[in-house]
Amino acid sequence: MKIIIHGGFFSESDQSHEVKTAKQNSLKEIAEKAFQYLQTHSAFDTVAYAVSLLEDDPLYNAGIGSQIQSDGVIRMSAAIMNGETQKLSGVINIQNVKNPVFVAKDLIDEDDRVLGGNGAKKYATEHGFENFSTEIPQRRKEYEAKLNNGGKGTVGCVAIDKNGKLAVATSTGGKGFEIPGRISDSATVAGNYANEFCAVSCTGVGEDIVSNATAAKIVTRVTDGMSLETAFGKTFAELKAIDGFAGAIGIDRNGNVYHQDSYPTMVFASFDGEFFEVFS
């Protein structure tokens, strides 16, 4: 059993040492909570739980930490994928829910598993998700000043459970000041993909991740026999060729954990019940 989570990027030039320390402590705490949850739950349930904790922390660009778009509105996207069934479900540009990842998870048994905009919100309301504003004062100040938080971000979790089953979940609050209606990678197989061999979650510039089909490429290459490290390396070499900005985390069916970024520093933490690895 292993867990790895990410929370976007950290920029030394735009963010303080205090923010860095806060993210390190937060990621370590969430990774540990998620690992404990994994003891009695499947990988699929656990990745949703872990991502919900990240969505609840305003340090990250998801849930209550989400960015504000150019028209002053927050729209969020999230997805989850079960490696065993190879089913993906997600929401795109949903508004006014606390945890988009849980709405995405609820959709996994539907015939129509990826919903957007008003349809996603209507589904959430009909399935008991309360109306909730994810805007915090800091984000409104940044929007009004036409600034962002210095961290291109998204949050995600990959887990392998005691039965060797893999799952992944990813959630984002956008890049900030984007054109309303923009769709990035988080609710697509480019940013969030899993099968029985490997699971990968991405963060960074959605357009770059989609152009490179990053998560799907890594998982496919591992499925075809590449090692996890080699698959990451080849995929990120292709990302570099288009000057892509991205980071990714992954676990293969043998329990190997790997992470890589194209423009340091992706913030992440992994835990296997004994050893932590936290970004530095």
Side-chain angles (χ1 to χ4, degrees):
M1 293 184 289
K2 293 182 181 179
I3 284 278
I4 184 167
I5 59 176
H6 69 71
F9 281 81
F10 175 80
S11 170
E12 297 281 1
S13 62
D14 295 318
Q15 295 175 312
S16 67
H17 178 73
E18 288 74 19
V19 169
K20 181 178 182 179
T21 300
K23 287 188 174 184
Q24 289 169 328
N25 292 337
S26 167
L27 288 168
K28 186 175 181 181
E29 180 180 351
I30 290 172
E32 185 169 18
K33 283 182 178 179
F35 185 82
Q36 292 304 317
Y37 190 87
L38 183 62
Q39 307 306 299
T40 54
H41 295 81
S42 67
F44 180 73
D45 288 336
T46 300
V47 294
Y49 171 71
V51 167
S52 76
L53 297 179
L54 290 159
E55 289 175 336
D56 290 344
D57 192 327
L59 282 169
Y60 308 108
N61 179 19
I64 64 171
S66 296
Q67 297 281 2
I68 299 174
Q69 297 189 355
S70 60
D71 61 351
V73 175
I74 289 173
R75 298 177 180 88
M76 301 166 289
S77 297
I80 187 167
M81 189 164 183
N82 187 327
E84 181 180 13
T85 63
Q86 283 194 260
K87 284 187 176 181
L88 178 146
S89 55
V91 291
I92 296 171
N93 287 333
I94 194 170
Q95 299 179 47
N96 295 316
V97 295
K98 185 181 180 185
N99 295 112
V101 70
F102 285 148
V103 186
K105 185 172 184 280
D106 261 27
L107 282 161
I108 198 70
D109 293 321
E110 301 286 352
D111 291 332
D112 305 319
R113 294 195 298 273
V114 181
L115 300 181
N118 292 336
K121 175 58 176 171
K122 183 175 184 289
Y123 178 89
T125 301
E126 291 173 348
H127 286 76
F129 291 89
E130 295 181 356
N131 200 62
F132 183 91
S133 174
T134 54
E135 184 179 312
I136 57 176
Q138 176 189 343
R139 289 294 183 266
R140 179 56 56 179
K141 290 177 182 177
E142 291 167 352
Y143 172 77
E144 290 172 351
K146 295 189 177 180
L147 298 173
N148 62 30
N149 72 341
K152 294 181 176 66
T154 289
V155 303
C157 177
V158 180
I160 185 169
D161 61 27
K162 60 186 176 184
N163 297 314
K165 306 303 183 185
L166 291 155
V168 57
T170 310
S171 181
T172 186
K175 66 179 182 179
F177 312 106
E178 62 264 62
I179 298 170
R182 172 199 181 247
I183 296 170
S184 67
D185 66 294
S186 296
T188 77
V189 297
N192 184 92
Y193 196 64
N195 65 12
E196 64 180 298
F197 295 92
C198 182
V200 173
S201 174
C202 297
T203 182
V205 175
E207 287 76 5
D208 295 345
I209 294 166
V210 168
S211 295
N212 188 50
T214 304
K217 276 185 178 178
I218 294 170
V219 172
T220 299
R221 283 166 171 161
V222 172
T223 302
D224 289 345
M226 277 191 186
S227 71
L228 186 63
E229 182 176 355
T230 302
F232 263 80
K234 183 171 178 59
T235 304
F236 270 79
E238 292 165 348
L239 185 70
K240 184 177 180 180
I242 61 170
D243 196 30
F245 189 119
I249 58 174
I251 302 178
D252 69 18
R253 66 174 175 175
N254 298 315
N256 297 308
V257 178
Y258 201 74
H259 57 85
Q260 190 166 338
D261 48 36
S262 60
Y263 288 89
T265 301
M266 178 178 62
V267 305
F268 72 91
S270 63
F271 188 49
D272 63 2
E274 185 174 1
F275 297 107
F276 279 104
E277 184 183 3
V278 182
F279 83 99
S280 60

